[in-house]
Amino acid sequence: MGEETTTDGSLQIHQRFENEGDIESPTCGLVSWRPNFLQRFAKAKWFLLFQCWFVLAQGMIVSGFQGVVISSLERRFSLKTNEIGVIVSCYDISAAIMAILVSYYGHHHKPKWLGIGAFILGIGCFLFALPHVLVGRYEPGSSATNLCSTDSLPSNLICRSSVWYHIFVFVLAEFFIGIGATPVYILGTAFIDENVRRTTSGLFLGIMYAVATFGPAVGFLLGGEFLRIYVDIKQPEGVSLTPEDSNFIGAWWMGYILGGSLSILVSLPLLAFPRELPGTPQIRAEKQRFSDTVEDDNMPHTLKQLLPSLKSLLTNKPFVFLSLASAFEGFAVGGFSTFLPKFVEAQFRISAGLASTYTGLVVVPGGCGGMLFGGYLVKRMKWTCDKTIRACFVIACLATLWAAGLFFGCPNRVFVGVTDPYINSPRSSLVNITSSCNAACNCDVKYFSPVCSKQDQRTFYSPCYAGCKADDRLGDKGYQNCSCFVTQSNEGIEGSGCQPECNNLAPFLFCLFGLMVFTFSNNIPATTATLRCVSESQGSFALGINQLIVRILAFIPAPIVFGYVIDAACKLHQEDPCDLGAKRNCLEYDTDLFRYLMLAVGGGFKLLSAVAFYFAWKFYKLPSQSQSNEGLNRESASSQITIVDGHTKKMPETELIPVAQFITVSDSGQEKPLPSKDFARTTNV
């Protein structure tokens, strides 16, 4: 069966597609306003431009700013990492709820749903920045409050617990962001695939996904710059913090204001596009000639057909395993994308802004290059669906090997009272920052400002807990003769604590780059395979169900699981003066345990993704082969004439006989099986 073969059924399908194109004139505009100058934009390249704008804003917000601000939110609102994980998961919960509705009913007018989604996404961003206004000004503490003093602490305690309505606003904002971002990949990808020729689809999707990788990158880079600005813009009087100080918090909210503005601006152009572009019916008809195009029943997208359509997808084994592969990959990506800047910050002991910058510099070339490479492979190799899935399996295996780069990290540092005891204190006093050398200092636990003793490289919680008095100061941030130092002449520096010697940042970033290349190289082939193993009218619905599976199995639980894993590596939590038994945000991590746990969870799920791609490849069969075999069996069962025991017999129409059982008679009068290559030439009546 050749790719150019055309049957009467396909001619009817082509004619139906052409008739559909005449129902609505594909013109640009809003409601009844459709001026002539707008019609020049009714082209695939213009839709691709605004779709790229949308995915850039979405990626910048969800995969960029969201990961960048994690540590700042923890310190500003006294949240543990697993609590942040729950807030982040609300995005995927709302997206999962909306995925079926958007993918199924959005089929009728995809650009309209995309425009509404962009507007809702913008509103969600503004809501997420609202707690910055509600919480009031940040009080980092001054040199006077961080020094050892016999004066009693003030009676007005500042609690280190989050107010419930701050968390509620974050959760509500994530729900809005999730609802607004749902259509971007479900409907945007399907609209491009339906409105351009098959030879161009891979390139267009490659460009879109390449721009999508710029979104997180721009989020990381801009977010890093925003975090260099003090959270309230102007620091309080008597405070001169720098981004390198542990108690410095940057302007985390600025990114959400920018992202929300971009989303609202792009909503209008998307709303103006027609339900399909001019020439789409002809393109749809051309696609029916390819051998791996699934026969399209073109069922109406109504509530009555929802369950049959869903059953059709869930009984499609290649689709199910492709979705599981995406879910396993999504679990690793969801955890890393959320907490990667935090991981780099804690592992290599650099500021949040610098960690975000480094992460962005790796994500930009790695992710973008991987997307373009994946799109190029699909366009250049012209693989059928089975070969595309096989390529996904190979790429997933290579990506798993690059995950071993997480072994590169920095050793733990000596933290007095946490990893090592104070002088003249027993080993059993660990995880207790109070000792006899600072017992009379009336230190306030809410002010975390580490001090590093230069001579022996020991880190203290703050100048007060190091026993440093006002008379012991050397300049703005230097101290000497502090009572908790091993030697009184030892000099201490206030800031972020001691930095152990470590040269593993460059090897880590190199391996992270390789991991990004091979991880993102699989996006276009996997998406293409998902669209090819279902009928065209189910394309957007299939992507919606695929994303639903990914969200339920991956993106919803991943931030929570990774949050608990990261909290398990915490050695010192922020204490709450109002609730001494409570544990708030983490102040010091066990860096060795941190990276081992991240490697075990992330690398394990990437390996499972490769296994799922393997089974999808094994279960896939080209539709042209399976449909021709099924048609031949039905035709042969209803009208086949065979010779059995020397007598002519016509098989009844209700009796299905496997082709291998058909018998012919040789010249010698003996029966022998009919060769498989002659099946198509068997005589019918």
Side-chain angles (χ1 to χ4, degrees):
M1 180 178 292
E3 290 190 356
E4 301 296 329
T5 302
T6 306
T7 64
D8 293 340
S10 64
L11 287 174
Q12 294 174 2
I13 293 174
H14 297 174
Q15 184 62 43
R16 182 170 73 247
F17 287 155
E18 291 176 359
N19 292 340
E20 288 176 356
D22 298 333
I23 295 176
E24 177 185 332
S25 177
T27 57
C28 289
L30 295 172
V31 194
S32 59
W33 183 68
R34 300 181 180 275
N36 292 331
F37 74 89
L38 282 182
Q39 307 319 311
R40 71 185 66 181
F41 298 104
K43 296 179 182 178
K45 62 181 181 181
W46 284 108
F47 177 82
L48 178 64
L49 173 65
F50 293 113
Q51 172 69 6
C52 287
W53 182 343
F54 191 9
V55 299
L56 180 70
Q58 187 266 354
M60 183 171 62
I61 297 162
V62 176
S63 302
F65 294 140
Q66 187 168 261
V68 168
V69 303
I70 293 294
S71 59
S72 298
L73 292 180
E74 289 178 359
R75 295 198 300 269
R76 187 68 180 96
F77 299 95
S78 302
L79 296 169
K80 293 195 292 185
T81 306
N82 65 77
E83 294 172 334
I84 289 287
V86 172
I87 292 175
V88 171
S89 293
C90 291
Y91 162 83
D92 293 288
I93 292 173
S94 63
I97 295 173
M98 293 297 297
I100 294 182
L101 295 177
V102 168
S103 61
Y104 198 71
Y105 293 105
H107 175 81
H108 297 294
H109 202 308
K110 297 180 181 68
K112 182 182 294 184
W113 283 73
L114 286 166
I116 295 173
F119 184 81
I120 296 175
L121 176 61
I123 298 300
C125 289
F126 292 140
L127 276 176
F128 198 91
L130 182 60
H132 168 68
V133 179
L134 299 177
V135 74
R137 296 186 64 83
Y138 172 54
E139 296 183 17
S142 63
S143 299
T145 58
N146 284 340
L147 292 176
C148 179
S149 174
T150 56
D151 297 336
S152 59
L153 291 174
S155 58
N156 55 332
L157 295 177
I158 300 177
C159 298
R160 289 295 187 183
S161 57
S162 293
V163 182
W164 67 268
Y165 55 80
H166 296 160
I167 299 178
F168 173 76
V169 173
F170 283 133
V171 169
L172 182 64
E174 288 288 355
F175 270 103
F176 269 82
I177 293 173
I179 293 172
T182 299
V184 62
Y185 289 109
I186 298 176
L187 300 182
T189 302
F191 188 81
I192 290 174
D193 187 68
E194 293 169 4
N195 287 268
V196 300
R197 287 181 168 78
R198 186 165 177 171
T199 55
T200 312
S201 176
L203 179 61
F204 271 46
L205 291 177
I207 294 173
M208 187 195 80
Y209 279 106
V211 173
T213 63
F214 273 99
V218 172
F220 287 135
L221 295 175
L222 283 181
E225 292 301 316
F226 291 148
L227 291 183
R228 297 176 187 275
I229 304 173
Y230 186 72
V231 62
D232 295 318
I233 308 299
K234 184 179 179 180
Q235 297 191 27
E237 186 177 354
V239 176
S240 58
L241 297 176
T242 65
E244 287 71 29
D245 293 326
S246 295
N247 54 345
F248 179 91
I249 297 179
W252 59 270
W253 48 273
M254 282 188 174
Y256 283 89
I257 298 297
L258 174 63
S261 301
L262 290 175
S263 298
I264 291 179
L265 286 175
V266 78
S267 63
L268 290 178
L270 289 172
L271 285 169
F273 275 93
R275 66 180 300 271
E276 66 177 22
L277 300 177
T280 297
Q282 292 77 12
I283 294 174
R284 189 182 297 119
E286 291 175 6
K287 292 179 180 179
Q288 296 301 311
R289 299 201 302 266
F290 290 93
S291 62
D292 63 343
T293 299
V294 178
E295 184 178 354
D296 191 356
D297 296 330
N298 204 36
M299 293 185 298
H301 285 234
T302 61
L303 186 61
K304 182 179 179 180
Q305 292 296 335
L306 177 61
L307 291 181
S309 298
L310 182 60
K311 180 181 178 182
S312 174
L313 289 179
L314 297 182
T315 54
N316 185 332
K317 291 182 180 179
F319 171 79
V320 171
F321 278 106
L322 284 172
S323 298
L324 288 177
S326 298
F328 293 140
E329 184 69 42
F331 198 99
V333 171
F336 282 127
S337 64
T338 303
F339 299 112
L340 184 58
K342 178 182 177 65
F343 175 81
V344 175
E345 175 187 353
Q347 193 66 218
F348 300 99
R349 306 194 185 282
I350 57 179
S351 67
L354 191 58
S356 302
T357 301
Y358 283 150
T359 305
L361 290 175
V362 171
V363 170
V364 171
C368 181
M371 288 288 189
L372 290 175
F373 179 66
Y376 172 79
L377 285 179
V378 172
K379 178 177 174 61
R380 178 69 178 84
M381 304 307 295
K382 296 182 173 61
W383 286 320
T384 53
C385 190
D386 59 331
K387 294 180 180 178
T388 302
I389 300 175
R390 183 175 61 185
C392 291
F393 166 66
V394 174
I395 294 172
C397 290
L398 295 174
T400 303
L401 296 178
W402 280 98
L406 289 175
F407 274 120
F408 290 106
C410 291
N412 286 302
R413 65 183 176 183
V414 176
F415 200 110
V416 180
V418 180
T419 62
D420 281 46
Y422 281 88
I423 54 174
N424 301 324
S425 297
R427 189 78 183 176
S428 59
S429 63
L430 292 182
V431 197
N432 183 6
I433 57 176
T434 302
S435 180
S436 58
C437 62
N438 57 30
C441 290
N442 292 321
C443 300
D444 197 339
V445 73
K446 66 176 177 286
Y447 296 127
F448 178 63
S449 183
V451 172
C452 175
S453 59
K454 296 175 63 176
Q455 184 176 348
D456 51 8
Q457 290 293 296
R458 292 160 61 89
T459 299
F460 294 83
Y461 190 90
S462 71
C464 183
Y465 281 97
C468 302
K469 300 179 181 179
D471 296 335
D472 300 331
R473 299 190 63 177
L474 294 175
D476 291 336
K477 295 185 178 182
Y479 298 92
Q480 198 172 26
N481 300 324
C482 298
S483 60
C484 292
F485 286 172
V486 176
T487 58
Q488 296 296 305
S489 59
N490 196 355
E491 182 180 347
I493 302 296
E494 182 182 2
S496 57
C498 299
Q499 308 290 328
E501 185 177 355
C502 179
N503 299 316
N504 287 334
L505 179 59
F508 170 80
L509 293 177
F510 175 77
C511 292
L512 182 61
F513 173 81
L515 180 62
M516 292 296 103
V517 170
F518 284 95
T519 296
F520 284 95
S521 292
N522 241 351
N523 280 35
I524 303 301
T527 302
T528 302
T530 302
L531 290 170
R532 296 289 177 260
C533 70
V534 299
S535 62
E536 185 180 284
S537 64
Q538 281 192 311
S540 59
F541 188 50
L543 290 179
I545 297 300
N546 177 278
Q547 286 204 15
L548 177 64
I549 294 173
V550 171
R551 292 187 189 283
I552 292 177
L553 298 182
F555 289 145
I556 292 176
I560 301 175
V561 172
F562 272 83
Y564 276 102
V565 167
I566 293 172
D567 280 336
C570 183
K571 295 189 297 185
L572 178 64
H573 288 275
Q574 172 75 65
E575 294 184 14
D576 187 352
C578 303
D579 187 357
L580 297 180
K583 293 182 178 180
R584 303 305 181 193
N585 54 294
C586 186
L587 301 176
E588 184 75 11
Y589 287 97
D590 183 334
T591 56
D592 293 333
L593 182 59
F594 196 166
R595 63 176 177 272
Y596 295 152
L597 290 175
M598 291 286 281
L599 176 63
V601 178
F605 276 94
K606 290 189 75 66
L607 181 61
L608 288 175
S609 175
V611 173
F613 275 125
Y614 174 80
F615 281 107
W617 172 42
K618 283 299 182 183
F619 280 112
Y620 181 80
K621 292 182 181 179
L622 285 172
S624 58
Q625 296 174 355
S626 59
Q627 290 170 8
S628 62
N629 289 338
E630 291 173 3
L632 180 58
N633 288 342
R634 289 194 300 268
E635 181 181 336
S636 299
S638 63
S639 58
Q640 183 68 43
I641 293 179
T642 66
I643 299 175
V644 180
D645 296 333
H647 299 284
T648 302
K649 181 179 179 180
K650 181 177 182 179
M651 296 298 179
E653 293 184 358
T654 58
E655 185 178 358
L656 298 178
I657 305 297
V659 177
Q661 297 181 13
F662 290 166
I663 304 296
T664 186
V665 179
S666 67
D667 295 337
S668 62
Q670 299 295 323
E671 297 173 355
K672 65 178 182 180
L674 182 67
S676 60
K677 64 183 180 180
D678 294 328
F679 285 172
R681 296 197 295 271
T682 303
T683 304
N684 298 329
V685 296

